[in-house]
Each structure stands twice: as structure tokens, then as C-alpha cells.
Amino acid sequence: MDAIELLQHDHRMVEQLFRDYHAAASDTQRRGVIELMIRELSRHAALEEMMFYPMVRKALPEGARRADEHLAGHTAVKKLLHDLDKLPAGAAREADLVRRLHGAVEQHIRTDEEELAPEVRDHVPQEDLERLGRLLKQAKQSAPTRPHPGAPDRPPGLTLLGPVAAAYDRLRDRLQGRPST
């Protein structure tokens, strides 16, 4: 699976999580889905920031501007995830935050898949995309599982802070009994 396919697979998984949230029959089930959303979206954002957007910066004409635009969208998503992470199950603000998160994620997916991915395919050799896909898959196991909206969103700061944040997140996940895969 190349890098673009792997990131698009993540998109499909998150779209399913939004459907699962709306289909959930109880506050407890919705909270479980939210915890999965937080984990998956946090990992996805961290991987794009650490590995995919640096490639975009180098490979595309106006790559720095394009990467910066996508990073701005990540900041908004991470702030919403952070707010959701702090809420207890069934909190009054939950549905509104999920609605806003869904809109922001839909916009991210649309621009990634309709604009950025085709352009990356045109400018990056397939073997490089396949190599990056393998690296992304491997890095996903050690990526942060919680949002860190105030953390650096690009190397070198992200490269230095990412592993520390991921270790801290996994410890918190274990202590709070959160899903771990």
C-alpha cells in the first residue's frame, strides 16, 4: 500500500467512525467511538505532519504553501479533538463538537483526495510513494494517540517531540483503559 492509499484508508476508517457515532445507542457507546476518533485522527495528523507534508514541501511546486494550508486545517481539528477529549460521556457540548469536527475532517479529506493526492502522484515516483507507505505503516504503531494542538506541527520540533508525546499518550491510554490498537 503506497502512502496515498494508506492515508486514504485512514480517511475511510474515520468516515466510518462518524457513522458509528451517529448510530450509537447510548452515551457510553458514543464515548467509545469518540475515543477511537481521537486516537485515529491524532495518529493520522501526526503521520502527515512528520512524513507526508515534508515530502509535499519538497516535491510539489508551491509545496511549502500547500503544506502550510493543510497544517492550518490540522490545528483546527486538533483543537476540536482536544476539547472532545476533555468531555465526559454525554456532555451537552459533545454533539456540537462532533458536528464541527466532522465538517473540518470532511474538508480535509476532500482537499487531500481531490487536490493534493493527484498532484503528489504526478510529481512523486511510485516507488517513493510505496517506500513512504511502508514507513507510515510502521510509524503508525508509535505515533501520538492524543491531540497536541500546541505542539510543533513540522520537523524538527515535531520530530523531537512526537516520540515523547506518543509515549505519554500511551501511558495515559493505559491508565484510563482506552483502546490500544
Side-chain angles (χ1 to χ4, degrees):
M1 187 178 297
D2 74 27
I4 293 171
E5 291 167 339
L6 185 127
L7 295 173
Q8 288 175 342
H9 179 267
D10 286 355
H11 293 165
R12 301 294 83 76
M13 182 184 345
V14 170
E15 289 169 338
Q16 182 61 51
L17 288 172
F18 281 109
R19 289 189 293 274
D20 292 347
Y21 173 83
H22 293 295
S26 69
D27 289 343
T28 303
Q29 286 178 346
R30 279 188 287 283
R31 186 63 206 179
V33 174
I34 286 171
E35 289 176 5
L36 291 172
M37 279 184 204
I38 290 167
R39 182 189 71 203
E40 294 306 319
L41 285 167
S42 295
R43 282 180 174 173
H44 180 83
L47 293 175
E48 283 185 334
E49 292 165 5
M50 285 190 287
M51 303 170 85
F52 187 69
Y53 294 144
M55 181 195 64
V56 167
R57 285 182 186 286
K58 292 177 184 175
L60 299 185
E62 297 190 43
R65 180 187 60 77
R66 301 290 301 282
D68 288 344
E69 288 171 356
H70 284 266
L71 289 171
H74 276 204
T75 300
V77 166
K78 288 190 284 189
K79 286 179 182 176
L80 289 166
L81 289 171
H82 185 263
D83 290 346
L84 273 169
D85 196 25
K86 295 188 299 187
L87 291 181
R93 293 183 52 220
E94 179 183 280
D96 180 58
L97 287 172
V98 170
R99 180 188 55 74
R100 291 172 45 208
L101 177 64
H102 193 183
V105 169
E106 280 182 333
Q107 177 62 32
H108 166 80
I109 289 171
R110 188 171 30 259
T111 58
D112 263 15
E113 293 187 3
E114 294 175 6
E115 299 170 19
L116 193 59
E119 195 172 347
V120 168
R121 283 215 184 277
D122 287 345
H123 288 87
V124 177
Q126 183 61 32
E127 57 270 10
D128 291 349
L129 290 173
E130 289 171 8
R131 184 172 69 254
L132 182 58
R134 288 188 298 275
L135 292 171
L136 286 167
K137 185 176 181 181
Q138 182 180 9
K140 192 174 206 176
Q141 302 309 311
S142 59
T145 60
R146 305 278 183 112
H148 299 278
D153 58 8
R154 62 186 71 159
L158 176 63
T159 306
L160 296 172
L161 184 63
V164 173
Y168 176 70
D169 292 349
R170 281 175 173 57
L171 176 61
R172 281 179 61 201
D173 291 346
R174 257 187 253 118
L175 292 173
Q176 293 176 350
R178 292 211 174 176
S180 63
T181 56

